[in-house]
Amino acid sequence: MKMRRKASLFMALASTESVSTSTPYDFGPAVALSCRECGARYALGPEFACIECFGPLEVAYPWSTGGELRADQVGEALRARIESGPASIWRYAPLLPVPADVAAKPNLAPGWTKLVKADNLARELGLRSLHVKDDSGNPTHSFKDRVVAIALEAARTFGFHTLSCSSTGNLAGAVTAAAARAGLDACVFIPAGLEEAKIVMASIYGKRLVAIEGTYDDVNRFCSELIGDPIGEGWGFVNVNLRPYYAEGSKTLAYEIAEQLGWRLPDNVVIPVASGSQLTKIDKGFQELIKLGLVEEKPYRIFGAQAAGCAPVSAAFKAGHDVVRPVRPDTIAKSLAIGNPADGPYVLDIARRTGGAVEDVTDEEIVDAVHLLARTEGIFAETAGGVTVGVLRKLVADGRIDPDAETVVLNTGDGLKTLDAFSAGARPTATIRPSLDAFRAAFPDNS
């Protein structure tokens, strides 16, 4: 995989040096940064790529490196500690790269969102047991609040004064809100032409919002140049030089799903794929829960979901390829419109290892799936949620998901952010005069 990853990573590594893993920084249980490709280890710092092979760096812990753990760091003792924690991602602080006092600091405290038992939708699809992990209840109404919360702590630790990111919309809002709460400056970058609601949310916090002409991948390339320029000195790009920490926030989805199911893993989970980081970290989270004795080990299957108008990982999976060929996005699911997903190859590996798949649905199927989820469970998902529900329906219909298995499907954002995708069909059922006769005339079956 080493060669296929090189082309998709930023190359701004001139100042990066291989160092000892000793560090003056307090990141709780984290012990080092580790290359996912060659295993090279580095001290905890604002780095994101390995100088040996250009592979991505991720946070390593004692349980992932063979280190010894205390009795209170595993099993029942750890479970009790978690359950006594706050109703936010900070209940999992013992498993995250954050200081022990993180909950006391000014932050948005995201997480601990609802796991909805979706019996109505299950009946509609022919499933025995289905849950919707609804992350629209986060402070800025998307799962991005989770990842930004971890990146914010890293930014504070490293002394950065400005938070930044390249974003398809949700991340920009999460960054500007988190920066406002923490008293930091922020400057975020989005592709021009995003949904109006996401632009409003990202700008309402009084931070700089810059639209770039082009796609998300064009925005990403611009940010890779900015991070190496003196202009970007003191800036923490949450999904670049803070990416190893940022990505760990997605693990909390895995932790919450398992805890809310009564400390067990589901049989299947359907996850949207943009960069692919969320899916890879949910798998990492499940594996950590097993290693730490918080859940019993069991097989589980992970399914990735993409929009047909931006489905490079799905195309690679179906073709049996290990390399993800970039595409130019053209879909209403703009939060998933990343044509060159950095973690695409890892998504393929996980889907194949777990016996899952990566599938895609058309824009029409996305809209229909959003209506289906709203009609059956009262959850108004953004277009990314339509992608996961649409893919779930497709997988069940094709016989690729066992209808008797316990399945979790993710909704990662609020439908109020993507109103443009549904407004054409959103009209009053009837417009009448304020009289009972007019109502009876419009709805004769009610009389």
Side-chain angles (χ1 to χ4, degrees):
M1 187 189 295
K2 193 179 298 183
M3 291 301 295
R4 71 188 186 193
R5 291 287 299 166
K6 287 185 179 180
S8 63
L9 290 167
F10 298 116
M11 304 300 289
L13 300 170
S15 64
T16 306
E17 297 180 0
S18 184
V19 293
S20 164
T21 56
S22 61
T23 173
Y25 299 121
D26 176 15
F27 281 104
V31 295
L33 295 177
S34 177
C35 177
R36 290 165 72 178
E37 291 292 345
C38 72
R41 298 183 68 186
Y42 302 85
L44 293 162
E47 311 293 350
F48 63 97
C50 175
I51 64 169
E52 303 295 332
C53 70
F54 303 118
L57 300 180
E58 66 177 358
V59 178
Y61 305 90
W63 52 85
S64 61
T65 59
E68 292 187 9
L69 297 171
R70 303 188 309 269
D72 64 340
Q73 292 178 305
V74 295
E76 292 297 330
L78 177 56
R79 185 183 298 178
R81 182 179 175 185
I82 289 171
E83 290 175 345
S84 67
S88 70
I89 63 171
W90 304 134
R91 68 197 288 112
Y92 306 110
L95 309 179
L96 296 170
V98 294
D101 64 346
V102 62
K105 297 181 178 182
N107 62 75
L108 297 178
W112 202 243
T113 56
K114 293 180 180 179
L115 183 69
V116 179
K117 195 170 187 297
D119 291 340
N120 296 330
L121 180 58
R123 281 192 294 271
E124 188 95 8
L125 299 180
L127 295 172
R128 178 185 62 83
S129 178
L130 176 64
H131 291 81
V132 177
K133 182 57 173 170
D134 184 13
D135 243 25
S136 65
N138 275 310
T140 68
H141 307 286
S142 90
F143 94 95
K144 292 295 187 181
D145 290 318
R146 297 174 181 271
V147 291
V148 170
I150 309 297
L152 170 63
E153 294 312 310
R156 284 201 262 224
T157 298
F158 297 135
F160 291 137
H161 54 71
T162 300
L163 281 187
S164 188
C165 69
S166 53
S167 171
T168 57
N170 283 327
L171 180 58
V175 166
T176 51
R181 173 72 176 133
L184 297 179
D185 193 9
C187 183
V188 299
F189 301 88
I190 59 172
L194 280 187
E195 300 96 335
E196 188 67 23
K198 290 180 181 175
I199 294 173
V200 171
M201 173 163 276
S203 63
I204 201 70
Y205 302 104
K207 307 300 180 181
R208 287 170 289 173
L209 174 66
V210 181
I212 302 291
E213 296 177 357
T215 67
Y216 171 81
D217 297 293
D218 296 319
V219 179
N220 224 7
R221 282 190 289 272
F222 170 79
C223 287
S224 71
E225 296 178 12
L226 183 57
I227 196 172
D229 189 271
I231 297 175
E233 186 176 350
W235 288 31
F237 286 78
V238 300
N239 50 353
V240 187
N241 58 348
L242 298 178
R243 187 174 182 83
Y245 313 94
Y246 159 94
E248 292 292 283
S250 288
K251 295 192 310 182
T252 60
L253 279 162
Y255 301 156
E256 287 181 22
I257 288 169
E259 184 178 357
Q260 290 169 329
L261 286 176
W263 292 108
R264 70 174 188 273
L265 302 182
D267 298 312
N268 306 302
V269 58
V270 183
I271 305 167
V273 174
S275 72
S277 176
Q278 183 186 72
L279 185 147
T280 64
K281 294 309 179 190
I282 288 177
D283 177 64
K284 183 181 181 182
F286 284 163
Q287 291 296 311
E288 288 180 345
L289 292 172
I290 293 170
K291 290 178 181 178
L292 294 169
L294 292 170
V295 300
E296 290 187 8
E297 184 171 7
K298 59 166 282 187
Y300 59 85
R301 303 170 74 199
I302 290 184
F303 297 87
Q306 293 201 292
C310 185
V313 187
S314 176
F317 181 87
K318 293 174 183 178
H321 295 160
D322 292 332
V323 175
V324 176
R325 179 174 295 178
V327 300
R328 190 168 188 85
D330 182 16
T331 174
I332 60 171
K334 294 181 180 180
S335 62
L336 303 184
I338 296 180
N340 187 18
D343 278 18
Y346 298 111
V347 170
L348 295 173
D349 292 342
I350 291 168
R352 289 165 179 157
R353 170 174 57 79
T354 64
V358 187
E359 186 54 86
D360 58 85
V361 284
T362 65
D363 283 358
E364 292 76 16
E365 290 172 312
I366 293 169
V367 171
D368 188 59
V370 170
H371 282 281
L372 173 63
L373 180 59
R375 174 171 56 81
T376 56
E377 299 298 340
I379 298 172
F380 183 18
E382 73 162 278
T383 47
V387 171
T388 53
V389 173
V391 164
L392 171 62
R393 177 164 57 181
K394 194 171 186 178
L395 293 168
V396 174
D398 292 347
R400 287 183 281 174
I401 281 187
D402 180 356
D404 292 325
E406 186 170 53
T407 299
V408 174
V409 62
L410 269 63
N411 171 45
T412 52
D414 194 322
L416 292 175
K417 292 187 174 188
T418 55
L419 289 176
D420 292 352
F422 316 111
S423 57
R427 296 289 182 272
T429 306
T431 301
I432 63 171
R433 300 186 310 278
S435 74
L436 291 174
D437 287 342
F439 181 79
R440 291 190 184 100
F443 302 98
D445 291 342
N446 280 58
S447 58

